[in-house]
Amino acid sequence: MRVLLVEDDEPVAESLRRGLVRYGFEVSWVTTGAAALAEADPYDLVLLDLGLPDTDGLDVCRALRRRGDVPIIVISARSDETDRVVGLEIGADDYVSKPFGVREVIARIRAVLRRARPAEQQAAAGPDRYGPRLTVDRRAARVRLDGAELPLTPKEYDLLAFLTEEPGALMSREQIMEAVWDANWFGPTKTLDVHVAALRRKLAGAVAIEAVRGVGFRLVVAPVPAASPDDSP
């Protein structure tokens, strides 16, 4: 999935770009409204800062909306309610105030895409990718590692599907047990540790499942390896 990032603050843009790439997104970064409006390659979603050096981001949002229905999430240091209302009224799908965390932006992207895409489009979108090695096809309930289907038990699949809904987010043991097992589960939670251990063995090197003692677990996607000078053409 390709994201058009319109942000003139280099540290903010670089942080967002790295975070989005870790979660499997392809990012095209521009620093001005003119460059955003001139972007010729197709993109699936826009992250748009309002404080651009050449024009007001609200004007860019308005122009992008006139062109089509691509989802637009405004990211801005303007936290005034008026700006939020205006942004949403002229066509933005969501509004995130700075400072923000990458995980929050990822969650907002997924929520917007779920709202924006009809069910058939979501099905056509295919498997979700987590880093360079792992894909989860929720429609078919299949997981692939390095292109090969990975055999998982039903509960192993359910656990992985739940943790990959929001990579990097800390999930409590109670949240996981309720989502993957049953809201009325009264058995020992040791079964969770057994399934986590099994997934760690099967997914070693692709994703990590980190334990936070006394709290729960978080899934961390392995970063895309940086190209070495020897890889250059």
Side-chain angles (χ1 to χ4, degrees), residues 40-84:
D41 293 333
Y43 42 83
D44 302 290
L45 181 136
V46 180
L47 292 177
L48 174 64
D49 182 30
L50 296 185
L52 300 173
D54 61 334
T55 187
D56 193 304
L58 291 173
D59 292 331
V60 178
C61 180
R62 188 180 291 109
L64 290 173
R65 182 52 68 231
R66 283 198 297 264
R67 293 182 179 184
D69 57 359
V70 62
I72 301 170
I73 298 178
V74 168
I75 51 174
S76 177
R78 302 181 192 173
S79 57
D80 186 86
E81 183 181 359
T82 301
D83 288 313
R84 288 174 175 268

Side-chain angles (χ1 to χ4, degrees), residues 23-187:
Y23 285 89
F25 293 91
E26 180 185 347
V27 181
S28 179
W29 171 31
V30 297
T31 59
T32 65
L37 296 175
E39 182 68 26
D41 293 333
Y43 42 83
D44 302 290
L45 181 136
V46 180
L47 292 177
L48 174 64
D49 182 30
L50 296 185
L52 300 173
D54 61 334
T55 187
D56 193 304
L58 291 173
D59 292 331
V60 178
C61 180
R62 188 180 291 109
L64 290 173
R65 182 52 68 231
R66 283 198 297 264
R67 293 182 179 184
D69 57 359
V70 62
I72 301 170
I73 298 178
V74 168
I75 51 174
S76 177
R78 302 181 192 173
S79 57
D80 186 86
E81 183 181 359
T82 301
D83 288 313
R84 288 174 175 268
V85 171
V86 171
L88 294 172
E89 285 184 344
I90 66 175
D93 295 274
D94 204 348
Y95 194 113
V96 184
S97 296
K98 298 178 182 178
F100 49 75
V102 171
R103 288 203 303 271
E104 179 186 359
V105 175
I106 296 295
R108 297 292 188 101
I109 288 174
R110 288 178 174 163
V112 164
L113 291 177
R114 281 196 297 269
R115 294 195 302 266
R117 289 177 171 173
E120 63 270 18
Q121 286 183 308
Q122 290 203 28
D128 295 317
R129 177 170 292 277
Y130 301 94
R133 302 181 58 195
L134 179 68
T135 59
V136 177
D137 186 342
R138 287 175 168 79
R139 187 181 178 216
R142 290 181 174 176
V143 175
R144 292 186 178 274
L145 183 65
D146 297 327
E149 187 167 349
L150 185 67
L152 297 176
T153 67
K155 284 303 180 191
E156 287 171 357
Y157 171 80
D158 290 343
L159 176 57
L160 179 62
F162 179 71
L163 292 175
T164 52
E165 277 293 327
E166 195 174 346
L170 176 59
M171 303 296 184
S172 71
R173 299 178 73 91
E174 292 76 15
Q175 285 177 305
I176 299 171
M177 293 301 298
E178 181 174 342
V180 178
W181 275 265
D182 187 272
N184 299 312
W185 174 268
F186 292 109

Side-chain angles (χ1 to χ4, degrees), residues 202-224:
K202 295 180 179 182
L203 299 171
V207 297
I209 302 177
E210 297 179 348
V212 178
R213 187 175 180 86
V215 182
F217 298 91
R218 67 164 63 93
L219 182 136
V220 179
V221 179
V224 177

